Amino acid sequence: MTRITRRIAALAIGAAFAGLAALSPAQAADKIKLGVIGGEEEEIAEVVKKVAAGKGLDVELVIFADYSLPNEALARGDLDANAFQHKPYLDAQIAARGYRIEPIGYTIVQPIGFYSRKVKTLADLPEGAAVGIPNDPSNGARALKLLAANGLITLKDPAKADASPLDISENPKKVAFKELDAALITRQLDDLDGAVINTTYALGAGLNPVTDAIVQESRTDNPYGNFIAVRTEDKDKPALKTLVDAYQSKEVADFLETRFKGSILPAW
């Protein structure tokens, strides 16, 4: 074999091994991209990332500021998983956009609450009060159910997943509901008589859900637990099972208790 022939053969063997390495299932399963909302959920995901690393999984975090983006990114293939939403929200997104996305494991629950800088109780709201609620169907319905459960309004069908102000049957105080972007409600709280605010955004605005919420969802048996979502065709991948295990770990539970003191709770 000539020197040139030997060199060609060596290059061919090297390329073959490189190709096998690139396609190695173990390597492909060792790194994933996870989408989360910035702030408190990002803090939790950083703990998850450390736990996952100890299990041999490298988690790259992709941070979003808007609820409307992580599912689009997941469906498009820019993410391997996201962790930011509850089932009613995902159901609404699937109905609207046809995503083939599903949950594979619970993470946290953040009881939604009603906040005000003008009144101390719902009974103190004046007639015609301006009350902000999230403008996406699932969280808007969630807000109305919270207010109905605490006697401010009555809904025609309390079980309706996408209830809107049009589904209110009784509104004794003639409350004017303002449907607003969930991420922006805290900025408008001073101009409202009160608002129902998602915990992520409440914490980001310096509100303490445990002490500042006038009324709040149940802290146990809450149907709005967040979860890890993945594309349906990926749901059985071992790396994603490792991600669920990392989220549902003692390290994460201990971090939630120490850092958030009851504002954010384990959902598993």
Side-chain angles (χ1 to χ4, degrees):
M1 184 181 289
T2 66
R3 182 182 301 174
I4 292 175
T5 304
R6 286 197 300 270
R7 180 171 176 78
I8 291 172
L11 289 172
I13 292 169
F17 275 109
L20 287 172
L23 294 174
S24 165
Q27 282 194 344
D30 283 344
K31 184 170 184 177
I32 63 172
K33 288 185 177 181
L34 172 68
V36 298
I37 301 297
E40 290 71 26
E41 293 182 46
E42 180 182 357
E43 288 185 54
I44 297 165
E46 289 287 358
V47 179
V48 171
K49 180 175 180 176
K50 292 177 183 176
V51 176
K55 298 176 180 291
L57 177 64
D58 180 7
V59 178
E60 178 184 344
L61 299 180
V62 181
I63 310 305
F64 295 87
D66 189 316
Y67 283 169
S68 67
L69 301 177
N71 280 333
E72 180 182 341
L74 177 58
R76 193 169 55 232
D78 295 339
L79 302 173
D80 297 294
N82 64 43
F84 78 102
Q85 65 193 318
H86 50 66
K87 191 65 163 56
Y89 183 83
L90 177 59
D91 288 346
Q93 289 261 294
I94 290 172
R97 299 169 184 260
Y99 293 139
R100 295 189 72 250
I101 294 172
E102 60 184 80
I104 59 169
Y106 281 102
T107 57
I108 58 174
V109 63
Q110 301 168 286
I112 205 168
F114 177 85
Y115 301 82
S116 176
R117 294 199 171 108
K118 297 180 180 178
V119 300
K120 299 296 184 183
T121 69
L122 289 180
D124 294 335
L125 284 170
E127 185 167 331
V131 170
I133 61 172
N135 64 0
D136 64 272
S138 61
N139 282 308
R142 186 180 181 185
L144 293 174
K145 289 178 182 181
L146 173 67
L147 298 177
N150 286 275
L152 182 65
I153 58 172
T154 302
L155 293 172
K156 298 172 187 175
D157 179 5
K160 187 176 181 182
D162 59 350
S164 76
L166 295 176
D167 295 296
I168 297 172
S169 59
E170 295 180 25
N171 184 1
K173 287 183 176 285
K174 299 181 174 58
V175 172
F177 288 98
K178 309 293 183 182
E179 296 176 275
L180 305 168
D181 187 305
L184 303 179
I185 292 180
T186 55
R187 301 182 192 179
Q188 302 181 53
L189 188 56
D190 286 339
D191 299 321
L192 299 165
D193 292 293
V196 179
I197 303 173
N198 292 81
T199 295
T200 294
Y201 298 128
L203 289 168
L207 295 167
N208 184 328
V210 175
T211 58
D212 293 333
I214 291 174
V215 294
Q216 192 180 43
E217 282 176 341
S218 170
R219 300 166 64 78
T220 59
D221 299 321
N222 189 308
Y224 293 98
N226 285 7
F227 49 72
I228 299 163
V230 302
R231 290 182 295 277
T232 298
E233 63 267 28
D234 295 337
K235 65 180 181 179
D236 296 321
K237 287 187 174 181
L240 298 173
K241 173 64 165 63
T242 301
L243 179 64
V244 173
D245 290 343
Y247 256 105
Q248 297 179 354
S249 64
K250 184 178 185 301
E251 292 91 334
V252 172
D254 289 346
F255 176 76
L256 294 177
E257 182 177 356
T258 302
R259 172 68 177 86
F260 299 110
K261 298 177 173 61
S263 297
I264 301 177
L265 305 165
W268 65 90

